[in-house]
Structures are given as C-alpha cells and as structure tokens.
Amino acid sequence: MTPLPPLRDELALYPGAPANDGSPTWLIHDPIRNRFFHIGWGSFEIISRWALGDPAVVSQQVCDETTLTVTDDDVLATVRFLVTNHLLRVQNAEGTAYLLDFMTRAKQSWFRRLLLNYLFFKIPLIRPDRFLSATVGRLSWIGSRPFIAITVLSLILGLGLVIRQWDVFVATFVDTLTWDGFARYLLALVVAKFAHEFAHAYTAKHFGCRIPTMGIAFLVLWPLFYTDTTETWKLQARRQRMMVGAAGMMAELTLAAYATLAWSFLPQGGLRDAAFTLAAVAWISSLAINLLPFLRFDGYYLLSDWLEIPNLHQRAFAFGRWWLREALFALGEPPPERFAARRTRFLVLFAFLVWIYRFFLFVGIALLVYHFFVKVVGIVLFVVEIGWFILRPMVIEIRAWSMYKNTILRSRRTRVSVVFLGLLIALGSVPWHGRITAPALLDAREQVTLY
C-alpha cells in the first residue's frame, strides 16, 4: 500500500454531539472554505493515527488500542473521503494534476451557470462579526426572563383582544390589499427580516460563533436576507443549535406580539395601520413560511437538530428512493443507513411530504413566472422551472433504475406494479360526467356589518 498523504495543516478538529447510538463524533473544520465535515468514531481514530503513514499499521493500532474493528479497507475509505473533500495536502505533481482535473470538470457551461444563477445565488453585503462582538453584550436583556415573560403576556393579551374584534381585523386585512398596502407590507417584511437575521447572528455570537457574512440571496429572483451561521456546527449542545435556529422566528413573533397589542389599543390612523401591517407580516412570515421544514428555512434546521440528523433532506430522500424501489420492484437492497424502524418510517414519510410540497410549490412558481413575465420569456422560464425542479429528479431516478435492469425485469413485483399503473392510467382515461345541483343564495359581493 502507498503511504498515507499528509493532512492539510490549517484544518481544525472539534468534538461533536454524540451519535444516535451514543458513540462520540467529531467535526473537521476547513477554515478556507468555512465548511464542516462530520466524522464518526472510527474515522476519528484513524485520522488521529494518520502520522503513522502506513494504512496497515494504522488499522492494526486502532484494533489494538480501542474496541473498534478497523480494516485496511476502512482506512482507504477514509483516504477517499479526505481526497474527495480536498482535506489532504498537495505535495507532488500527481496531486496537482488531480486538482487541475477536478477544476476542469467542475467548470460549467455559460448556460448552466446562467441557469443556476437564475435559480439561486448569494450576494454578501457586510462582514458583521466585529460589530456583533462589540454589541452583543448590550442586548443580553432580550434573553432575560423578565423580557420573555412580558413578551408572552403581551402575546396572550394581544391575541385575546384580536379575537374579540376579529371581524375588524379581517376587514382591515381586506382593505389593505391595494398597491399602497402592498408597499407597506413590503416595507414591514424588510423590517421583520432584518430583525430575523440579526437575531440569528446575535444568538450565534452569544454562543461564541463567528459570523463571517450577511447579505441577500435570490431564490428564483426573489430576494431573501441570509446570515452565514455555519460555525454553529461547533456547538455540541443540541439546545444551543436549536436556539440559534429558532432565534429568527422568535424575533418575528416578538414583533408580532407587540404590534398586535399596539393595534388593539391605538386609535385610527397611520400608527395603527403600521402596527397591523407589521403584525400580519410577522405572523405569516414566521409561522406559515419559516416554520415549515420542507425547504431549507428555519423549520428545516430545527427539525434536523432535534432529530440529530445533519443533511436531513438528502438522507431522507435516499430513504424515500430506497422505499420506492423496494415497493415497485422488491430489489432486496438494504436501506441507505441503519436506523430504528420508527425513524426509518418517519424519514420515508418525510421524503414523500417534501416531494409533494415542492411539486406544487415549483409548479406554482412556474405559473407565476409564466404570467408575470413577457410571454416568450415566461414560457422559457416556465420550462426551466418544470424541467429543473420536477423532470430532472425523475430522469435521474429512472437512470438509477437502469443499473438494476436485469433484477427489475425478473422481479414478480415489477409485473404487479405495471398492472397497477396500467389500471390507474385506464381509470384516469375514463371520462367522468356529472352534475351537482344544490340550493344557493345570491348575496352582495361586498358587505360590511355596521354597529
């Protein structure tokens, strides 16, 4: 076997949260790219003996000094992991040639770059770490028990008062659905998201994490504020990571609580309208958007930290694809990872929920793009949306099925699946005609209750 190549000198190693089976984990931090790599106990023991240089000696010493059983293949798998993620030092012509080849293969065509930049790109605006370090102590009162108690009481009182005058609240919302009201909602959204992102940043800074950048990200040309809180991976306590993840929603709910209470007491006028707008935006943004775990918003990271499953979407999708192949073709493949049966069922269900949610979301976005752009541009962007987000994953999965072509063709489950699919297509092709008759009452289109 060839000697082990040396690790990069600037890498840092941090203890991580225990795995689901209780074994210790660690994090490798690449400071140049500000990326973290999660490794298990076996990989840590191998890397901690990396200086021995010989894979056979490393595996033998791990077996002798720990309760683990490590083979030479495990050491070579760790080498492949380190090479793939560029964590080894390049010290010869062969390594340089590998990096040059990787850069060549990583280069994208101008069309692909344009496509990806249309779908998502980031613009870092500020480097706030020094400012956050200087001011985080002055805002410690926000996390104090008295402030939290006052906020909760304000929230309960405000909601109670809104329920008492719910008709007025709904009527106010309808009255603000104008171009002038849209401008006010947009301004309130900027205020709420500004507080949201700084809440993430200050909470992470409170726990000692560095915040390198803050800026604006564009998701299908829709602007979103973002905060780089990558260093929260360093936090071992799940509670601390979840506090960072929930800080943005808590900030918006705090704004919603005080704005709702203010609306209940303020007299008619500009201040009352502003309080209503801020309350409505904060409620919708925090609960209806950020709390959902189907996209990479706060709810996703909260669920990932709560389950202690990093990269939750990718790992759930792997389970979803595995279950689908087994259900259709009974391939007999083992699951992608070893989890308890209950956790496995949850990941499969979660994967399908995410796929269904994203299907309707991306179709809706595609329709909006089609209707609001010039028709020629709208048609092109509609095709891009449908092709990239919906058809592309299907094509990739069908290509993966081709690897099991012989097994699929011999499987009895395949014939059952084909018959079932044929029945569904047949039922969907049958024209269903019907008429429903029901009594109705013609009423005014607009009406208001007067007291």
Side-chain angles (χ1 to χ4, degrees), residues 110-170:
W110 65 270
F111 175 76
R112 188 175 178 86
R113 289 198 302 270
L114 178 64
L115 174 64
L116 294 179
N117 286 335
Y118 157 68
L119 296 174
F120 181 78
F121 65 94
K122 288 182 178 180
I123 301 178
L125 297 178
I126 59 174
R127 300 183 180 275
D129 193 68
R130 183 179 300 178
F131 171 77
L132 295 172
S133 299
T135 56
V136 64
R138 302 174 186 177
L139 298 175
S140 59
W141 55 271
I142 294 180
S144 64
R145 290 185 178 181
F147 179 78
I148 295 175
I150 293 172
T151 302
V152 171
L153 290 175
S154 300
L155 177 64
I156 296 173
L157 180 59
L159 289 176
L161 292 173
V162 165
I163 291 173
R164 292 184 59 187
Q165 44 187 340
W166 181 249
D167 292 341
V168 179
F169 189 87
V170 173

Side-chain angles (χ1 to χ4, degrees), residues 7-44:
L7 296 166
R8 285 167 44 193
D9 296 327
E10 69 274 15
L11 300 178
L13 191 66
Y14 298 95
N20 291 318
D21 60 0
S23 62
T25 65
W26 282 263
L27 298 167
I28 300 175
H29 181 211
D30 181 356
I32 294 178
R33 294 178 291 170
N34 195 30
R35 294 186 64 185
F36 287 84
F37 301 91
H38 195 266
I39 62 173
W41 183 18
S43 298
F44 168 77

Side-chain angles (χ1 to χ4, degrees), residues 68-85:
L68 295 170
T69 301
V70 174
T71 65
D72 295 347
D73 290 337
D74 295 326
V75 178
L76 294 179
T78 304
V79 172
R80 288 192 293 270
F81 162 75
L82 297 172
V83 168
T84 303
N85 293 289

Side-chain angles (χ1 to χ4, degrees), residues 186-373:
L186 188 60
L187 179 60
L189 184 63
V190 171
V191 173
K193 291 306 174 184
F194 190 82
H196 180 110
E197 296 304 326
F198 269 94
H200 284 310
Y202 273 116
T203 307
K205 176 55 64 176
H206 173 73
F207 293 123
C209 300
R210 186 174 67 93
I211 309 298
T213 59
M214 297 177 70
I216 298 178
F218 288 84
L219 179 63
V220 195
L221 302 181
W222 180 261
L224 303 166
F225 290 127
Y226 81 91
T227 302
D228 187 351
T229 58
T230 306
E231 286 210 2
T232 54
W233 278 92
K234 291 181 179 179
L235 302 176
Q236 288 184 263
R238 178 174 62 177
R239 175 177 172 272
Q240 293 179 345
R241 296 195 304 273
M242 294 187 68
M243 287 179 66
V244 175
M249 287 189 293
M250 292 299 101
E252 292 193 49
L253 288 176
T254 300
L255 288 177
Y258 289 112
T260 303
L261 183 63
W263 177 82
S264 302
F265 285 102
L266 287 172
Q268 291 290 344
L271 284 178
R272 194 169 195 257
D273 293 340
F276 174 85
T277 304
L278 184 59
V281 166
W283 280 116
I284 295 173
S285 175
S286 59
L287 297 181
I289 298 177
N290 286 299
L291 192 59
L292 294 178
F294 304 130
L295 294 176
R296 286 181 174 270
F297 294 141
D298 294 346
Y300 164 76
Y301 293 103
L302 284 172
L303 181 61
S304 178
D305 287 329
W306 181 60
L307 295 174
E308 294 283 6
I309 303 180
N311 302 319
L312 176 60
H313 277 168
Q314 291 89 332
R315 297 166 78 177
F317 294 165
F319 272 95
R321 291 191 294 267
W322 165 78
W323 184 90
L324 181 63
R325 295 169 189 173
E326 293 300 314
L328 293 177
F329 312 122
L331 300 178
E333 291 284 314
E337 300 178 61
R338 293 188 179 276
F339 284 119
R342 184 176 181 182
R343 179 65 59 90
T344 299
R345 288 194 296 270
F346 170 79
L347 291 174
V348 171
L349 176 62
F350 180 69
F352 278 90
L353 289 176
V354 173
W355 289 336
I356 294 170
Y357 175 85
R358 289 187 176 186
F359 173 80
F360 288 105
L361 175 67
F362 293 142
V363 168
I365 293 175
L367 291 174
L368 288 175
V369 168
Y370 169 75
H371 285 290
F372 283 96
F373 278 84

